[in-house]
């Protein structure tokens, strides 16, 4: 393994693939359970950490939804988001597009507005106190049916100005993107930007469906696209951004070793890749740790790391003028 360069610590960064519920550290999970008088099946923070041993995506999701159960009040969601913002601001992250899963909360009788109000309050404080700007993307849970996703979209329309886009996450295999073609069409007509998890554990066909049936603006993960040369050429031609999450891929057994991760081959094929953390509390690292780990494992040059970091801003859903300023600031910082 190579040593990551000193550049990583100084490099301005963004993050486009972070599930805010997946930033719930064991200490906060335990504290919120106590605050809300909820009983967890773990006696201590150490016991929670020992449970973070996943064989696949579903193993992780089982614990993820269990952890989510401690989030009950607006203050809980504020504390969750604020803790994340503080941590990544220290890693030179200045822009974030964060995911949240409304169905995972409304199904527990936590109001949609409760979730969004807490996150938004933390976002406002992060902008003022940390100089970190952000947007929110709500995701549909693909193991639920499209009718349930339609209901989530109906609720989102009451908060339309506060949500930049919609996405698709949760268990992938057996739940193809095409299952959600109608709700994504509605979301597009309402002006939301579109993203979807595809090609993490699911086949390349799922990436094709995300592109051609859902009409996504970005693909989350997309690793298995590398198995289909025609798809790789399509992604490169269209400059379709992929939000790659190296430590997540390692922990969920998507790759047996980071030295076998496809990110270097993606770069060599001209793909528009970004590096992100996915669910950092569960996968052993925030975005900075992902940058360092993948550079070490693949021996990526500093020029490649700068290009990846710049891609994060270029692939964002910022307005044109805001993006232009962010890219200019990035270029000045790394000059």
């Amino acid at each position: 393994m190579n040593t990551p360069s000193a550049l990583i610590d100084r490099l301005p960064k963004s993050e486009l693939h972070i599930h805010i519920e997946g930033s719930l550290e064991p200490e906060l999970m335990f504290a919120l359970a106590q605050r809300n008088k909820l009983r967890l099946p773990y006696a201590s923070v150490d016991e929670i950490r020992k449970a973070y041993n996943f064989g696949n995506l579903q193993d992780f999701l089982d614990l993820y939804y269990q952890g989510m159960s401690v989030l009950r009040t607006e203050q809980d969601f504020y504390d969750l988001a604020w803790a994340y913002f503080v941590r990544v601001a220290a890693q030179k992250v200045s822009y974030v597009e964060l995911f949240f899963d409304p169905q995972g909360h409304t199904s527990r009788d936590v109001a949609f507005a409760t979730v969004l109000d807490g996150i938004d309050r933390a976002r406002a404080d992060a902008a003022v106190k940390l100089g970190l700007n952000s947007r929110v993307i709500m995701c549909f849970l693909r193991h639920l049916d499209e009718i349930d996703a339609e209901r989530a979209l109906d609720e989102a329309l009451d908060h339309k100005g506060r949500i930049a886009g919609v996405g698709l996450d949760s268990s992938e295999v057996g739940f193809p993107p095409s299952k959600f073609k109608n709700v994504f069409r509605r979301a597009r007509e309402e002006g939301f930007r579109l993203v979807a998890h595809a090609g993490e554990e699911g086949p390349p066909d799922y990436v094709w469906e995300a592109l051609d049936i859902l009409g996504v603006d970005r693909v989350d993960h997309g690793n298995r696209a590398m198995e289909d040369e025609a798809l790789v050429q399509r992604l490169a031609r269209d400059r379709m951004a992929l939000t790659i999450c190296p430590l997540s891929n390692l922990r969920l057994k998507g790759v047996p070793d980071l030295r076998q991760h496809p990110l270097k081959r993606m770069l060599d094929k001209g793909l528009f890749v970004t590096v992100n953390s996915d669910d950092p509390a569960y996968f052993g690292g925030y975005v900075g740790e992902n940058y360092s780990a993948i550079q070490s494992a693949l021996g990526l040059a500093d020029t490649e790391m700068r290009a990846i970091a710049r891609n994060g801003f270029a692939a964002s859903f910022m307005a044109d003028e805001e993006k232009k300023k962010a890219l200019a600031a990035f270029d000045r910082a790394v000059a």
Side-chain angles (χ1 to χ4, degrees):
M1 297 277 281
N2 298 290
T3 302
S5 72
L7 170 77
I8 299 299
D9 289 339
R10 305 192 310 271
L11 198 59
K13 304 174 190 70
S14 63
E15 179 151 43
L16 305 179
H17 187 151
I18 163 69
H19 300 268
I20 197 60
E21 296 93 345
S23 69
L24 181 60
E25 291 287 344
E27 292 82 0
L28 183 57
M29 184 191 299
F30 209 73
L32 294 181
Q34 292 182 320
R35 183 161 83 190
N36 292 322
K37 297 179 172 55
L38 299 171
R39 181 179 293 275
L40 290 172
Y42 310 103
S44 67
V45 168
D46 286 342
E47 282 194 18
I48 298 174
R49 288 201 181 281
K50 288 176 183 175
Y52 289 15
N53 184 20
F54 317 115
N56 54 40
L57 177 60
Q58 192 57 53
D59 287 351
F60 154 67
L61 288 171
D62 291 342
L63 181 60
Y64 174 81
Y65 292 123
Q66 188 175 82
M68 193 186 291
S69 68
V70 305
L71 298 164
R72 304 295 305 178
T73 68
E74 179 186 324
Q75 187 63 40
D76 295 342
F77 289 97
Y78 173 90
D79 291 345
L80 173 68
W82 178 248
Y84 164 76
F85 288 135
V86 168
R87 189 181 290 258
V88 298
Q91 297 187 340
K92 301 282 285 186
V93 174
S94 60
Y95 180 78
V96 170
E97 290 175 7
L98 63 86
F99 299 139
F100 77 106
D101 292 326
Q103 292 156 288
H105 306 300
T106 57
S107 63
R108 301 182 292 111
D109 297 322
V110 177
F112 193 109
T114 297
V115 181
L116 199 53
D117 288 348
I119 293 173
D120 271 358
R121 190 155 55 87
R123 290 178 55 230
D125 280 353
V128 172
K129 299 176 182 178
L130 304 174
L132 191 162
N133 294 316
S134 60
R135 284 176 169 79
V136 170
I137 296 172
M138 59 162 274
C139 291
F140 303 124
L141 299 179
R142 66 201 308 157
H143 65 275
L144 303 178
D145 60 30
E146 190 177 40
I147 293 173
D148 205 281
E150 295 274 13
R151 286 194 289 264
L153 181 58
D154 289 340
E155 287 201 77
L157 294 179
D158 293 334
H159 309 279
K160 193 172 176 181
R162 304 162 68 189
I163 299 171
V166 301
L168 185 66
D169 64 10
S170 190
S171 311
E172 186 181 6
V173 175
F175 303 101
S178 55
K179 173 183 171 183
F180 297 91
K181 63 181 180 181
N182 296 313
V183 71
F184 267 74
R185 184 184 66 247
R186 271 187 66 206
R188 186 185 314 113
E189 291 168 352
E190 292 288 349
F192 292 106
R193 304 300 296 271
L194 308 179
V195 300
H197 286 48
E200 179 185 14
E201 288 189 339
D205 284 352
Y206 283 18
V207 181
W208 282 110
E209 287 191 5
L211 297 173
D212 293 334
I213 297 177
L214 300 189
V216 297
D217 300 296
R218 244 181 5 229
V219 173
D220 296 316
H221 294 297
N223 298 39
R224 291 193 61 192
M226 298 302 288
E227 299 169 20
D228 183 334
E229 183 58 30
L231 178 56
V232 170
Q233 292 178 17
R234 163 76 179 278
L235 294 168
R237 184 193 73 217
D238 293 352
R239 197 163 163 74
M240 175 61 61
L242 305 178
T243 61
I244 304 302
C245 305
L247 291 177
S248 168
N249 299 151
L250 179 66
R251 288 296 298 273
L252 297 181
K253 311 298 193 288
V255 292
D257 188 304
L258 276 186
R259 289 171 292 189
Q260 297 178 40
H261 196 282
L263 187 140
K264 173 63 173 172
R265 289 185 288 120
M266 290 174 165
L267 290 173
D268 292 343
K269 291 282 188 177
L271 297 187
F272 187 18
V273 299
T274 69
V275 164
N276 312 269
S277 68
D278 202 358
D279 298 277
Y282 294 90
F283 298 150
Y286 288 74
V287 68
E289 286 81 13
N290 274 269
Y291 271 70
S292 295
I294 201 65
Q295 184 180 31
S296 294
L298 300 182
L300 298 174
D302 283 356
T303 53
E304 291 172 306
M305 299 310 298
R306 282 194 289 269
I308 289 169
R310 194 178 195 279
N311 286 349
F313 293 97
S316 74
F317 293 155
M318 295 183 200
D320 289 346
E321 191 59 31
E322 181 186 359
K323 183 181 294 189
K324 183 179 177 181
K325 290 179 180 178
L327 289 171
F330 178 90
D331 293 339
R332 287 194 303 272
V334 302

